[in-house]
Amino acid sequence: MLLSVILGRKALRRLALNRTIVVGVLAIALLLVCLTMIVQNFGNALEQSSKNELGEPEPVTFERSNISTVIPSPVPENSAISSPPEVKKSDIKSSGLNYYSTDVQQATVKENVMVDETFLISAINALGATGGQIVLESNLSIMKYDVYIPSNIVLSGANPNITIFLVGGNIRVATRAVNVTLKDLTIDASGLGEHYCFVDAQNTTNVILNNIDFYNYDGPGCLLVMGDQVVLNNLSFTNVTERFPIQIFGSNVTVRDCNSNDNSSWALIAVGGGISDITIVGNSAVNRPLLNANYGSVSTKNLSIENNTVYFPNGTYGLLVMGGMGYSVQAPYQNVTVKGNFLRAGPGGWNAIAIYGLTTDALVMNNTVDMSLSGHNGIGISSGINVTVMGNVVFGCTELTEGGIEVESNPMHNRNVGFSEDVTVVDNTVYNSSWGVYVRVMCPDHPNWNGTILLSKNILIENNFIFDCGVGVNLLYGDSIIVRNNSIASNVVPFAVNIAEVFNFTVTGNLGYP
C-alpha cells in the first residue's frame, strides 16, 4: 500500500514536469511569431518609404512662409491629349523684367504624368498680390476651368518644350492686370474647340508673350489682344489655318519675329478699328498673308509694318489696309508706314501691298515685291490720300491690264466709291510688267459710280526707273498729273495717255519720252 502511494506521487511529479516543458515550448513559439511579424512590418514600411522617394508625388512646400501647400492632381489616363511637338527654337531670350521673386516650381511627378489647371491656379493664388514666377517643369493640361493670370506673374516653362494642353479651358490675362509675362512654352489647342486660345482682356497693361509655339487650333481666333502696351515676340503658329492667329483690338501693341508656315487664306495678323500705335516688324508669313487691317467703324492710327517676309497664296493680299466695315461704313486708317518688306505672290495671288479704304498719310517705302507667279498688281493705292510710294522694287506684274504700281479710283475698295488724291510715286524700280506705273479708274461702268466717275488727282510720278514693260507710264483716267524725270526708254511703249479721260497733265524731262 505504501509503495503504491509512493509510485503515485512520482507519476504526478513527472506529469507536472511535462506540463512545464510544454508551456515553455509554447511561449518560445509565440515569441518567434511576434518577432517574425515585427520584421515583416518593418520591411513593408521600408518598401513603402522607398516607393514614395522614387516617384509618388508629395505635397509641395515653398520657401516663402506665406505660400500655401500645393498638391498637383494627375490628369486621367484616358484624356484625349496628343503628344507635344518637337521644339523648334533654340534661343531663349530673357524678357528683361525687373519684378522677380522666389520661383514657384512644379512638384516632381512621374515622367508620363501631367498636372491639371488646379495646380496652376493654386500656384497663382499662393503667390498673392506681390506676384512672382511660376516655372513648369513638366506638361500641364487645362481640362475644365479657364486660368486667369493676375498682375506681376511670370509663367514659363523650364524649357520651350514644356507643353500646356488646352482641352476644356484657356489662358486669360485678368482684367486690369499689369506686368504679366508668358514665355518659353508650347501650347497645344487640339482639344479646345470654339474658344480663344489666349485672351488679353481689356484694360490690361504691359503684357508680354515671348518664345511660345502654338499648335493645332481651329477656333474663333488663337490670340485675342485687347490690352495696352502688349509685346508679342518670337511666337510661332503651326496648324492654325482657319482663323487669324493674332487679333489686335488694343493700342500700343508690338508684334515682332513671329511666324507661321501654314497653307491658309487667313492673315497671320488682323488689326481692328479705333486703336493706335501698332508695330508689326520682322515677322514671317509663309503660305498665308501677313496682315488684314480692314475691320472697325472708327479709324485706326499709327500703323507700322516693317521688315517682314511674306509668301502669300491664291486669292489673298500680301498685306491689306482697308478701314471701315461692310459696303458703306468708311473709317480710313491714318498714318500708315509700309517699309522694307519682302513680298512674293503665289499663283493667283492678288496685290502684294493694298492701300485701300481712303487710307490717309501713308508711306510705302523700300519694299521688294515679286509678282512673277501671279502676274497681278504689286503695289495698289486704291484709294489713298496723301500717299508716298518711294524706293520700291516691283516686278513680274504681267496680267494684261495690271502693272507694278497703280494709283486708282475704285468703286468697291473704299466701302463704296473713292478716289486717290495727293499721291507721289518717286524713285521706284519697276520691270518685267505689262504696265510700269499707271493711273486709272477701276470698272468705270460699275453701278456704284451711279453715273459719276471720280477721278484720282494731284499725282506726281517722278525719278522712277521703269524697263522691260509693255507701257512705262500709262495714264488712263485722272486729273492734275505730273510725269517728270523718269527713265522709261527701255519699254515697248515708254509713255501712253488717254487724252479723252486725263485732264491737266504734264510730261517733262523723262529719258525715252518724248
Side-chain angles (χ1 to χ4, degrees):
M1 184 67 166
L2 180 59
L3 180 60
S4 298
V5 172
I6 291 172
L7 291 172
R9 288 176 179 172
K10 288 182 177 179
L12 288 172
R13 288 192 190 99
R14 278 200 255 14
L15 180 61
L17 180 60
N18 291 338
R19 287 179 178 174
T20 301
I21 293 171
V22 169
V23 170
V25 170
L26 289 173
I28 292 171
L30 181 61
L31 179 60
L32 290 173
V33 170
C34 291
L35 289 172
T36 302
M37 292 178 63
I38 290 171
V39 171
Q40 184 176 0
N41 288 339
F42 181 70
N44 290 340
L46 287 176
E47 181 182 0
Q48 183 65 34
S49 174
S50 176
K51 285 182 180 179
N52 286 340
E53 290 177 3
L54 290 175
E56 294 296 322
E58 292 289 333
V60 181
T61 302
F62 301 107
E63 296 178 1
R64 289 170 47 169
S65 60
N66 62 336
I67 297 179
S68 58
T69 299
V70 178
I71 303 175
S73 303
V75 173
E77 293 181 0
N78 59 354
S79 300
I81 299 175
S82 58
S83 298
E86 290 186 4
V87 141
K88 295 189 296 185
K89 299 197 245 347
S90 57
D91 278 340
I92 303 175
K93 301 176 183 178
S94 170
S95 60
L97 298 175
N98 56 10
Y99 57 93
Y100 186 91
S101 64
T102 306
D103 284 5
V104 179
Q105 295 188 348
Q106 183 176 326
T108 302
V109 296
K110 293 180 180 178
E111 185 175 352
N112 62 343
V113 174
M114 292 182 297
V115 295
D116 65 15
E117 71 271 21
T118 59
F119 161 73
L120 184 53
I121 293 170
S122 297
I124 291 169
N125 293 338
L127 284 173
T130 57
Q133 181 166 341
I134 300 170
V135 178
L136 299 178
E137 293 187 342
S138 66
N139 298 337
L140 179 142
S141 179
I142 297 179
M143 300 293 297
K144 185 176 180 182
Y145 304 107
D146 294 340
V147 176
Y148 288 81
I149 311 296
S151 296
N152 303 319
I153 294 291
V154 178
L155 174 61
S156 68
N159 62 73
N161 198 37
I162 297 298
T163 302
I164 297 177
F165 293 93
L166 304 180
V167 179
N170 60 16
I171 302 172
R172 295 171 175 264
V173 179
T175 302
R176 289 182 289 278
V178 299
N179 302 332
V180 172
T181 297
L182 273 71
K183 63 178 183 176
D184 303 336
L185 289 163
T186 295
I187 296 179
D188 188 321
S190 54
L192 186 58
E194 289 297 315
H195 302 279
Y196 284 95
C197 184
F198 174 87
V199 177
D200 174 30
Q202 291 180 322
N203 302 314
T204 63
T205 305
N206 193 25
V207 174
I208 299 172
L209 270 65
N210 182 56
N211 196 36
I212 302 176
D213 295 331
F214 292 87
Y215 285 83
N216 306 324
Y217 180 78
D218 61 358
C222 193
L223 305 187
L224 177 60
V225 176
M226 297 183 287
D228 187 65
Q229 297 179 24
V230 178
V231 176
L232 308 179
N233 183 66
N234 197 24
L235 310 181
S236 73
F237 300 87
T238 302
N239 196 23
V240 183
T241 60
E242 300 302 319
R243 291 293 188 274
F244 303 112
I246 300 171
Q247 298 182 24
I248 300 173
F249 291 91
S251 295
N252 299 295
V253 177
T254 297
V255 183
R256 180 189 297 113
D257 296 333
C258 298
N259 70 85
S260 176
N261 191 7
D262 285 335
N263 187 5
S264 176
S265 61
W266 295 81
L268 175 62
I269 304 161
V271 177
I275 57 179
S276 65
D277 299 297
I278 309 300
T279 300
I280 300 169
V281 59
N283 304 283
S284 174
V286 179
N287 296 320
R288 75 186 313 153
L290 174 70
L291 175 67
N292 192 328
N294 74 330
Y295 183 82
S297 59
V298 181
S299 295
T300 286
K301 300 179 181 179
N302 305 334
L303 174 63
S304 180
I305 309 152
E306 298 190 29
N307 300 324
N308 302 281
T309 300
V310 189
Y311 296 85
F312 61 102
N314 173 58
T316 67
Y317 300 96
L319 61 91
L320 171 65
V321 180
M322 181 182 174
M325 293 176 62
Y327 293 103
S328 60
V329 179
Q330 295 180 329
Y333 274 63
Q334 300 176 20
N335 193 20
V336 174
T337 299
V338 181
K339 182 179 178 181
N341 303 282
F342 177 84
L343 302 99
R344 175 177 291 163
W350 297 339
N351 307 63
I353 300 173
I355 306 298
Y356 291 177
L358 303 176
T359 297
T360 302
D361 300 327
L363 173 64
V364 181
M365 180 179 179
N366 294 346
N367 302 282
T368 299
V369 176
D370 178 1
M371 303 300 295
S372 300
L373 297 178
S374 165
H376 200 70
N377 164 247
I379 299 174
I381 313 303
S382 178
S383 302
I385 299 173
N386 193 26
V387 179
T388 297
V389 182
M390 180 172 66
N392 303 281
V393 177
V394 185
F395 58 94
C397 307
T398 55
E399 287 186 6
L400 289 179
T401 59
E402 296 288 344
I405 299 172
E406 72 177 11
V407 180
E408 189 173 77
S409 300
N410 194 287
M412 298 181 64
H413 291 167
N414 304 290
R415 314 290 181 179
N416 211 318
V417 300
F419 63 94
S420 295
E421 183 175 11
D422 298 325
V423 177
T424 298
V425 181
V426 59
D427 294 332
N428 302 280
T429 299
V430 182
Y431 64 95
N432 190 26
S433 298
S434 293
W435 302 335
V437 177
Y438 57 105
V439 183
R440 72 174 177 188
V441 173
M442 184 68 180
C443 301
D445 296 327
H446 197 283
N448 282 358
W449 292 117
N450 198 25
T452 302
I453 295 173
L454 302 177
L455 299 178
S456 294
K457 60 184 179 180
N458 300 333
I459 314 299
L460 173 62
I461 303 171
E462 185 174 28
N463 290 334
N464 300 284
F465 180 33
I466 305 170
F467 63 95
D468 290 344
C469 295
V471 179
V473 175
N474 195 1
L475 308 183
L476 296 102
Y477 288 80
D479 188 4
S480 302
I481 303 173
I482 298 174
V483 180
R484 183 171 60 200
N485 299 335
N486 301 280
S487 176
I488 54 177
S490 298
N491 300 285
V492 176
V493 177
F495 174 80
V497 58
N498 179 4
I499 296 295
E501 302 292 349
V502 177
F503 305 94
N504 304 313
F505 68 94
T506 301
V507 182
T508 181
N510 300 282
L511 177 62
Y513 185 89

